[in-house]
Amino acid sequence: MLLKNTERKRFVILGLDGLPASLALMWAKKLPNLARIAGKCEPITSELPDLSPVNWTSFFTAQKPEKHGLYGFTSIDPQSYTLSINNFEQVLCPTIFDAMGEKGLISKVINLPNPYPAKPLRGMLISGFVADSFEQAVQPPFLLGPLRDAGYQLEADTSRGIMD
C-alpha cells in the first residue's frame, strides 16, 4: 500500500541570541542564505532585565518575567542566601511547546537557552545553556545515543559562572 505524501505546514523560528536585527540585516547583504531568512526579521523589544534567560523564557512561555518567574541567570534562596543557576524547574507557567502539543502539533527544539532539565513534550528537545548534564538535557532519551555518536556537545561549562 502506498501512502500519499501530503504537505504539512511548517513554522520555523531561528533565534540568534544577542544578534540585533540591524546587524543580521547588514550581514545579509553579504551572506545570501542569511538574507533569505533575515529579510523577514523584525526587531523586537527585549524584556527587562535584558538577559538571555529572561528573554528566552518569555519567548517560550509567551509570558513576562512576573508570570514565568525568572529574572536573571541566578536566584538567591531567601532562607540560606545560597546562589543557584536558574533552570526549567523554576519556570512557573506552561510553555508554547505544551500548548502546541495539546493541539497535536510537534515541536523540535534545538539548543534553546534555559529549558533544562528537559521535560517530555510532543516532539524533541535538546537543551541549550545552562545544561550541564547531557542525560538531563535531551528528550526523548532515545536521542542520546545518536547525539553522542554524532559528537554533539552541550553549549557551555556552567560550573565556571556560578562563582563569578
Side-chain angles (χ1 to χ4, degrees), residues 84-103:
S84 64
I85 294 176
N86 285 329
N87 65 36
F88 209 7
E89 293 172 339
Q90 282 101 6
V91 177
L92 303 175
C93 58
T95 69
I96 59 173
F97 314 118
D98 298 326
M100 290 171 59
E102 289 171 8
K103 297 200 180 297

Side-chain angles (χ1 to χ4, degrees), residues 17-94:
D17 192 41
L19 178 66
S22 59
L23 187 55
L25 291 169
M26 184 182 78
W27 282 355
K29 293 175 186 172
K30 295 183 181 186
L31 303 169
N33 288 331
L34 181 59
R36 290 185 8 220
I37 299 167
K40 297 171 180 68
C41 79
E42 293 288 330
I44 58 173
T45 304
S46 66
E47 295 289 351
L48 294 175
D50 187 6
L51 298 169
S52 292
V54 179
N55 283 283
W56 284 111
T57 305
S58 291
F59 162 74
F60 68 71
T61 61
Q63 298 293 332
K64 293 196 167 290
E66 57 269 22
K67 295 283 187 184
H68 63 63
L70 269 67
Y71 293 92
F73 285 97
T74 59
S75 292
I76 297 176
D77 182 295
Q79 303 300 320
S80 66
Y81 297 103
T82 303
L83 184 67
S84 64
I85 294 176
N86 285 329
N87 65 36
F88 209 7
E89 293 172 339
Q90 282 101 6
V91 177
L92 303 175
C93 58

Side-chain angles (χ1 to χ4, degrees), residues 8-14 59 96 100 106 108:
R8 289 187 297 162
K9 291 184 179 181
R10 296 170 188 237
F11 182 73
V12 175
I13 296 173
L14 174 63
F59 162 74
I96 59 173
M100 290 171 59
I106 295 171
K108 294 181 180 176

